Amino acid sequence: AVDRAGLLARRAELLQAAGRLDAAQRPLRDAVELLEEAYGSADVRVAEAQASLGRLLVEASDPERAEPLLSRALEVVEDNLGVDHPRAASLMHLLGMVELANGDLETARDYLRGALAVREQQRDGTPHAETLLLLATLETAGGRLDAAEELLREAAALDGQGLQTRGQAVVAFARVALRRGDVPTALERVASGRTVVGEDAGALYRCALDAVVADTLLQRGELAEAAVLLEATIRTLEGRGEAEAHALAAPLTLRGELLLARDQPARALGALERALSLRSSIDPHGRARTEFALASALSLVDATSSRAVELAEQARARLVVSDPLRQRVEHWLEGHGAG
């Protein structure tokens, strides 16, 4: 059973690497069922298979189906291996992602802090950088920007971090500055980030930094320059295949906002619909931004669009009261009789 489950898991990995998240779910479900029949539902091997399926469902923006799998896996791991086992930390991290996607920031914070506490008890006492970065995302979504920056500093300062972690921290630092409306600082962080990460970081992080620059250009009304940078960024990312298609969500949203600024809402729809389909559920602010831009475009194309109001209401629900974007959304809803 273990060998057969391993083959199924490997097939799922290959499908996942190809960006076929829906297709990857079936072999993992089969693996869970196979191991349950062989060893019972309270076995650690079953929990590991459930964790793999839950992780995939989180990546596929399906937190509702991921949550029971991950909760059961955590229960089994804690019962069999102890509450301080590294696998428990990994599962708490995933459950933090689920609750962040569900908009429950407090529960998400509890899970992620629990994961860090377990990690810090391990041999070297080093927190897990991925959890620190996710906590920073959470604090940013909750409007606690100082706390987010402190977490990003901690993640960036960890010894032995690879280019991926350094790249994510650099991009997040710049985006926090943009959330503050501090364009000069955002640009300074992009410039210093290119030096810190270097050319070896690869196209993915260079494109993420370019998207931040394009965002600043949009905010300053430099639409022509933003358009050139965005089209180059999107072209590069589209050439990287389905496995990294999620990285297109931000630049496609910016393309939609640029077209709205040019009074071309009909042209904006395609970019924004695609961006929404790619947006991660664990980025509440980013998803809300795409939803609101799409709501704006839909209402300009069809003033009676009920979907536009629904999207704007979804965006409002994802945003904290202090977020300037929420204030814009509420003003828009009031103007459309849905305040």
Side-chain angles (χ1 to χ4, degrees), residues 265-335:
R267 289 189 60 201
L269 289 176
L272 293 169
E273 290 282 13
R274 188 178 177 204
L276 186 59
S277 73
L278 296 170
R279 271 294 188 192
S280 169
S281 58
I282 61 170
D283 179 11
H285 186 272
R287 191 170 182 87
R289 182 171 177 175
T290 304
E291 287 169 338
F292 180 52
L294 181 54
S296 301
L298 285 168
S299 69
L300 290 169
V301 172
D302 177 6
T304 64
S305 172
S306 60
R307 183 170 174 238
V309 173
E310 291 172 4
L311 285 165
E313 289 175 338
Q314 290 171 14
R316 177 173 60 182
R318 297 183 199 281
L319 300 166
V320 293
V321 174
S322 60
D323 194 322
L325 179 57
R326 174 160 172 160
Q327 295 162 21
R328 288 173 52 206
V329 173
E330 289 179 337
H331 180 74
W332 186 94
L333 284 167
E334 288 173 3

Side-chain angles (χ1 to χ4, degrees), residues 1-338:
V2 173
D3 290 343
R4 172 64 176 158
L7 291 173
L8 289 168
R10 179 56 182 157
R11 174 170 173 74
E13 288 176 4
L14 293 172
L15 290 167
Q16 189 174 358
R20 299 176 60 191
L21 300 186
D22 290 340
Q25 294 173 29
R26 182 55 186 269
L28 283 178
R29 291 188 187 283
D30 290 345
V32 170
E33 292 176 4
L34 184 65
L35 291 169
E36 277 186 327
E37 289 177 5
Y39 304 109
S41 61
D43 190 90
V44 171
R45 286 164 289 196
V46 176
E48 290 176 347
Q50 289 173 325
S52 295
L53 179 55
R55 183 182 297 106
L56 179 62
L57 290 168
V58 170
E59 292 185 15
S61 297
D62 193 351
E64 290 184 3
R65 287 199 294 163
E67 194 278 334
L69 286 164
L70 296 171
S71 293
R72 176 57 181 159
L74 178 60
E75 180 182 340
V76 171
V77 165
E78 289 182 336
D79 286 346
N80 286 273
L81 303 177
V83 297
D84 295 331
H85 196 277
R87 292 181 190 172
S90 297
L91 285 162
M92 284 188 277
H93 176 96
L94 289 169
L95 283 162
M97 295 175 72
V98 166
E99 296 304 335
L100 179 56
N102 288 335
D104 187 345
L105 301 189
E106 289 302 318
T107 302
R109 185 180 290 110
D110 288 343
Y111 274 125
L112 295 173
R113 287 294 180 187
L116 283 180
V118 173
R119 295 284 186 188
E120 288 168 356
Q121 291 180 28
Q122 304 310 309
R123 186 174 303 170
D124 61 358
T126 301
H128 196 258
E130 187 180 357
T131 303
L132 289 170
L133 291 171
L134 188 57
L135 262 172
T137 298
L138 182 153
E139 301 300 3
T140 302
R144 301 179 63 204
L145 303 184
D146 289 343
E149 290 190 329
E150 184 60 34
L151 288 161
L152 290 170
R153 290 189 190 95
E154 188 175 352
L158 291 177
D159 292 334
Q161 295 308 311
L163 289 172
Q164 180 173 345
T165 297
R166 297 208 305 273
Q168 288 176 332
V170 164
V171 172
F173 262 123
R175 286 176 175 165
V176 169
L178 279 183
R179 281 288 303 276
R180 296 184 190 277
D182 188 348
V183 170
T185 298
L187 290 174
E188 286 176 10
R189 288 176 174 175
V190 169
S192 64
R194 294 191 196 280
T195 301
V196 170
V197 177
E199 289 300 313
D200 293 335
L204 195 63
Y205 294 105
R206 291 200 298 275
C207 286
L209 291 171
D210 286 342
V212 173
V213 175
D215 200 347
T216 66
L217 292 170
L218 274 179
Q219 291 190 29
R220 296 192 305 202
E222 299 176 26
L223 303 188
E225 294 85 346
V228 171
L229 187 54
L230 280 174
E231 292 313 306
T233 300
I234 291 169
R235 189 163 53 249
T236 298
L237 290 172
E238 284 180 333
R240 294 184 64 82
E242 287 298 315
E244 294 179 352
H246 63 279
L248 280 161
L252 284 171
T253 297
L254 293 170
R255 176 196 271 174
E257 291 176 342
L258 184 147
L259 290 168
L260 283 171
R262 287 178 165 173
D263 296 322
Q264 298 175 5
R267 289 189 60 201
L269 289 176
L272 293 169
E273 290 282 13
R274 188 178 177 204
L276 186 59
S277 73
L278 296 170
R279 271 294 188 192
S280 169
S281 58
I282 61 170
D283 179 11
H285 186 272
R287 191 170 182 87
R289 182 171 177 175
T290 304
E291 287 169 338
F292 180 52
L294 181 54
S296 301
L298 285 168
S299 69
L300 290 169
V301 172
D302 177 6
T304 64
S305 172
S306 60
R307 183 170 174 238
V309 173
E310 291 172 4
L311 285 165
E313 289 175 338
Q314 290 171 14
R316 177 173 60 182
R318 297 183 199 281
L319 300 166
V320 293
V321 174
S322 60
D323 194 322
L325 179 57
R326 174 160 172 160
Q327 295 162 21
R328 288 173 52 206
V329 173
E330 289 179 337
H331 180 74
W332 186 94
L333 284 167
E334 288 173 3
H336 288 76

